[in-house]
Amino acid sequence: MLYVGTSGYSYDDWIGPYYPEGIGKTEMLPFYAREFKTTKINYTYYRMPSARTLADMTAHVPDDFVFSIKASKELTHEREAQDPALFGRFTAAPVPLIESGKLGCVPAQFPNSFKPSAANRDYLKQFRDQMGDLPVAIEFRNAGWISDETMDLLRANRLGYCCVDEPHLKGLIPPIAVATAPVAYVRFHGRNYKDWWQHDEAWQRYSYSYPTEELQEWVPKIEALTQAAPTTFIYTNNHYRGQSVDTVRQIKALLDQAGTLAT
């Protein structure tokens, strides 16, 4: 299965470019789900998710819609002062998604300060153990992790590798496509070279419209991922004013042209 969607859907600046004027917050997800079959939930990074909230979301989408929920920053960015009970709280939340067949993946984004070391490799193993059977994809921000040793570590621990497309700048993750678990995962951040390091607002980094030729580079990579893993998720993160919606549409069109089924 191949799912293509956006990283998040509830953005005020999408009203006009994507959502109709006057749309309410509770109407956004049903509107979005008319066209797309998956989205990544971002609020779970900023605060612990609740089973009740996620269960409510399932009531607003079709039966074949799936959610990926981002791991809490308390598990990826605030590891030093971690309460052991946090993993239990997090893993209890997606039970309604699991029971309804609507859980896609749990992407876990680690900061640039999370560098390859013996302690951090051990933490990834602990992370896997604490997440139980949840499908997890690890997104590294430190390019030092890009090695055969890392990919072997991920494979040995049933952790997916998050492939990324972002500016080709020194220190950033290169655009490699590797499947290390039953779930393959890709994020398109945009290639905004100008504002990547220097910006006043976080959204400026991700304000980018992909030209077709840049997305075309990923078609054979995505095809290879779909052959290597039973399920592949692709999420676009260039979200300012709905640019990610256009990117999803372009990706789906390119994959359709190539004969790869986009769900």
Side-chain angles (χ1 to χ4, degrees):
M1 292 291 289
L2 172 60
Y3 293 91
V4 188
T6 62
S7 293
Y9 65 88
S10 181
Y11 299 106
D12 289 339
D13 56 33
W14 284 24
I15 298 175
Y18 177 62
Y19 292 122
E21 297 290 343
I23 193 171
K25 282 285 189 182
T26 59
E27 299 172 293
M28 288 181 173
L29 180 56
F31 183 98
Y32 174 93
R34 294 176 197 168
E35 181 174 1
F36 305 113
K37 298 300 182 184
T38 190
T39 190
K40 181 171 77 70
I41 302 301
N42 291 317
Y43 93 84
T44 56
Y45 171 78
Y46 298 100
R47 65 182 188 275
M48 275 286 171
S50 70
R52 187 175 190 176
T53 299
L54 295 178
D56 180 67
M57 295 176 75
T58 67
H60 293 85
V61 297
D63 291 342
D64 58 351
F65 192 97
V66 298
F67 298 92
S68 288
I69 60 170
K70 191 170 184 178
S72 168
K73 64 180 179 180
E74 294 170 284
L75 307 180
T76 57
H77 287 58
E78 300 168 5
R79 303 175 305 282
E80 294 78 8
Q82 191 181 101
D83 179 348
L86 289 174
F87 274 102
R89 288 176 56 196
F90 184 89
T91 57
V95 169
L97 300 183
I98 297 170
E99 292 177 341
S100 61
K102 289 183 168 59
L103 177 64
C105 183
V106 178
Q109 174 193 312
F110 285 85
N112 184 63
S113 59
F114 187 74
K115 300 177 181 180
S117 68
N120 287 341
R121 291 185 184 93
D122 285 342
Y123 186 77
L124 290 175
K125 296 175 186 178
Q126 296 169 24
F127 194 92
R128 169 72 281 169
D129 290 342
Q130 295 291 339
M131 284 292 184
D133 293 329
L134 293 179
V136 175
I138 303 296
E139 180 175 357
F140 297 110
R141 288 297 175 93
N142 189 296
W145 285 99
I146 307 305
S147 67
D148 291 340
E149 180 185 6
T150 294
M151 302 308 163
D152 289 342
L153 173 67
L154 296 179
R155 291 188 184 96
N157 290 276
R158 298 177 293 112
L159 293 168
Y161 169 74
C162 178
C163 315
V164 296
D165 186 88
E166 57 191 12
H168 300 168
L169 295 171
K170 184 178 180 180
L172 296 187
I173 304 298
I176 62 173
V178 181
T180 58
V183 168
Y185 198 94
V186 185
R187 291 190 78 191
F188 284 84
H189 290 303
R191 301 185 188 180
N192 189 342
Y193 289 86
K194 176 178 175 290
D195 297 320
W196 191 262
W197 297 124
Q198 302 293 329
H199 51 264
D200 297 321
E201 303 290 342
W203 61 261
Q204 292 174 293
R205 167 180 281 185
Y206 302 111
S207 177
Y208 187 78
S209 292
Y210 276 96
T212 300
E213 57 269 20
E214 291 181 356
L215 297 176
Q216 182 67 52
E217 297 170 11
W218 277 89
V219 171
K221 297 178 182 180
I222 292 170
E223 290 178 327
L225 291 174
T226 62
Q227 294 172 14
T231 307
T232 299
F233 291 96
I234 302 170
Y235 293 108
T236 56
N237 195 41
N238 53 327
H239 52 74
Y240 181 63
R241 292 187 60 79
Q243 293 171 99
S244 55
V245 171
D246 180 63
T247 301
V248 171
R249 290 169 175 164
Q250 288 187 77
I251 291 171
K252 293 183 71 172
L254 290 170
L255 293 174
D256 284 342
Q257 292 171 15
T260 302
L261 178 63
T263 302

